[in-house]
Amino acid sequence: MSVKPAARLRRKDLVGIDPLSPGEIQLILDTADQMRAIAARPIKKVPALRGKTVVNFFMEASTRTRFSFEVAEKRLSADSLSFSAAASSVSKGETLVDTALNLEAMQPDFIVIRHVHAGAPHQLARILKSSVINAGDGAHEHPTQALLDALTIRLHRGTLEGQVVAIVGDLQHSRVVRSNVLLLARMGATVRVAAPPSLIPLGMEKLGCEVHRRIEDAIAGADVVMMLRIQLERQGRMNFPTVREYYDFFALTPERLKLAKKDCLVMHPGPMNRGVEIDSRVADGPQSVILEQVTNGVAVRMAVLYLLAGGHGEPTAD
Amino acid sequence: MTRVQVLDARGVARALERMAAELIEHAGDETLLYLVGVQTRGVPLARRLARLIGVKTGHEPPVGALDIALYRDDVGPWRPAHQQPVLRDTELPVGVDDKVVCLVDDVLYTGRTVRAALDTLMDYGRPRAIRLAVLVDRGHRELPIAADFVGRAVPTSRSEDVQVHVQECDGEEGVWIAKEVAG
C-alpha cells in the first residue's frame, strides 16, 4: 500500500471525487474495509451514528443506491427518511433550494442527494449546514460508486496502483465513468475508456485516461473491465444505429474477455442490460464481481457517513 | 516533558505472571476462559497472558481482538468537532457465548473504554461472565467500573499521561508517567 491514509476527512460534504486527495481516498477505503466486517456479525448494527438524522433526497429514480444508503444508515444506527421527487412538493413546483431549506429546518445531520442536474449537490453544500453527500448528479459525478468500485478492485488485487482498468460504454451520459477515472488515475491506476465516437464527450482524455474507439483496444491485457449501461431511455438521439449493432461492436462477450488478463475482473455498476452491453455468460461468469460491488457499496457508504460525522472544525484534544 | 519509569520490562513480565496466576485461580474451570484484548495494546497483552496461562495449566485460552471505535461515547453529538477514531480489526476466532471472557487493556482510566468494550462484546453474543484485566490502573474513574485483575495501581494526576509501551507495538517495553513541564 503506497498511499498513506489521511488522519481524518476534514470536510463537511462529499460532493465528488475531484476534491479528494489520495490520502483521503485511502482513508475512506480503509474505513470501508473495516465496515465490511459488520455485515458478518450476529447483530449487524453499531451505535456510531446514534441520534443522527439522514435525509435521502432522491430527485431521480434509484433503487440500488437509495437502498444501499438506507442500509448503511441503519447499520450505523442513524435515523433515516427517504423521499423521491414524485412524492414531494417538487412536483408542486417548489424550487430545489426551497425544498432543501425546508428539509434543513427539520435539522437533519446529513442530506444524501441524487439530482438530474450536475452541480445540484454543490449548490446545496454551499447553503446548508448539514453534510451533503452526492449520490449522483446528472452526468457529473457519483463518488460513492467510484469508491465502492475501487474497494472491490482493491479487495481482489490488493492495490489500485498499476492496475489497468478498461471502462466501456456510454461515456457521454455516465457520471460513474467521471468519478471512476478521477479516482483511479489519482490512485495510480491506468484507465482506458472506449465507446462509439458519438458517445465520447469532448475533452474526455483531460480527465486522465486513454480514449479508444474499439473495445478490443481498451480491454487488451486489462486487469479490470468495467461495463457501463447503455442508457436506452436516452437513445432517442440516435447515438448508434441499433442495439443489435452496439452489441456486435461493443458488448463484453466471452470471446472479447479473452483479450484481457486471465483473471481479469468483470464489473458493472448496474442496472445491467443483458445482451446489450454485456453478455449473460460474462455477467454470470466466474470473473464477475458485480454482486460484490453491491455488497461493498453498503460498506463504502457507512465509511463516508462515519468519517463525515467527525465534523469539519478544529479537532478537540484527546 | 518529563518521563518517569514505573515499570521496566521485568516489572511488566512479573505483573503479567501474577495476573495470569490470579486469572487461573479465579476462573475455576480454565477451559471456559477467553482473553479478548482491546485494540491496540490490549491485544499483545492478552496474547502474553494466554501463553502464561497455557504454560501453567496446559490449556492455552483462545485470544480475540476487540475494536471499540464505533461504540465510543466521545464521538457524536457530545463532541461536534473531532477526529473520528481509526477503525481497527475486531477478530473473535471463537464465539463468546457461554465463555468467561476476560477483557484485557493496558490502562484503566475513566472507564469509558471499558463501557464501550462491554457494549461491543454484548453485540457478539452472551458470555457467561465478563472480567477485566488491566496492566495499569491509574484511577480517576468516571463510571462505576472496576478491574478484577490489576498489574500495578499507579496514583496519577489528571494532567499526567500514562504511557504503556509493549515490544510488539512500540519496540520498547515498560510503563512511564509523562508530565508536561510548564515553561
Side-chain angles (χ1 to χ4, degrees), chain B residues 38 66 68 71 103 112-122:
Chain B
V38 178
L66 202 66
I68 57 134
Y71 292 76
L103 286 170
R112 289 177 190 271
T113 301
V114 176
R115 196 282 308 162
L118 289 171
D119 284 349
T120 312
L121 213 48
M122 295 298 190

Side-chain angles (χ1 to χ4, degrees), chain B:
Chain B
M1 176 89 85
T2 58
R3 207 165 89 131
V4 179
Q5 189 160 30
V6 292
L7 282 178
D8 58 9
R10 276 180 54 210
V12 171
R14 266 202 299 271
L16 290 173
E17 195 80 46
R18 189 169 43 74
M19 288 165 75
E22 288 173 8
L23 261 155
I24 296 163
E25 194 187 334
H26 195 276
D29 181 0
E30 66 267 8
T31 58
L32 293 177
L33 262 181
Y34 188 179
L35 302 190
V36 175
V38 178
Q39 289 277 22
T40 315
R41 288 185 185 77
V43 181
L45 294 176
R47 282 207 192 94
R48 290 196 216 169
L49 280 172
R51 237 173 282 134
L52 291 168
I53 292 169
V55 169
K56 284 179 202 286
T57 67
H59 176 86
E60 187 171 325
V63 177
L66 202 66
D67 181 57
I68 57 134
L70 294 166
Y71 292 76
R72 280 169 59 151
D73 65 1
D74 53 0
V75 300
W78 302 276
R79 284 177 60 182
H82 65 278
Q83 178 168 342
Q84 289 287 58
V86 171
L87 305 187
R88 300 182 195 284
D89 292 339
T90 291
E91 274 170 45
L92 296 169
V94 294
V96 298
D97 287 346
D98 291 323
K99 295 281 186 192
V100 175
V101 174
C102 185
L103 286 170
V104 182
D105 205 357
D106 54 353
V107 181
L108 178 58
Y109 183 22
T110 61
R112 289 177 190 271
T113 301
V114 176
R115 196 282 308 162
L118 289 171
D119 284 349
T120 312
L121 213 48
M122 295 298 190
D123 277 359
Y124 280 92
R126 189 178 188 280
R128 175 171 296 199
I130 304 179
R131 316 270 179 232
L132 175 61
V134 296
L135 184 60
V136 176
D137 181 350
R138 64 166 292 190
H140 305 288
R141 218 74 78 236
E142 293 170 4
L143 296 174
I145 279 169
D148 301 284
F149 312 100
V150 178
R152 170 71 76 95
V154 181
T156 59
S157 75
R158 280 177 185 275
S159 62
E160 288 166 331
D161 186 23
V162 174
Q163 301 172 344
V164 172
H165 286 177
V166 293
Q167 206 64 44
E168 294 91 326
C169 304
D170 312 287
E172 63 172 353
E173 182 101 357
V175 178
W176 289 265
I177 296 180
K179 191 172 185 154
E180 218 51 77
V181 182

Side-chain angles (χ1 to χ4, degrees), chain A residues 195-199 213 215-216 230 232 238-253 256 275-277:
Chain A
S198 56
L199 289 175
R213 293 178 176 206
I215 179 173
E216 290 82 359
I230 285 302
L232 295 168
M238 300 295 286
N239 289 308
F240 48 82
T242 63
V243 166
R244 179 66 188 270
E245 186 171 324
Y246 185 85
Y247 175 88
D248 285 345
F249 285 95
F250 279 95
L252 188 63
T253 57
R256 289 200 175 109
V276 181
E277 70 268 2

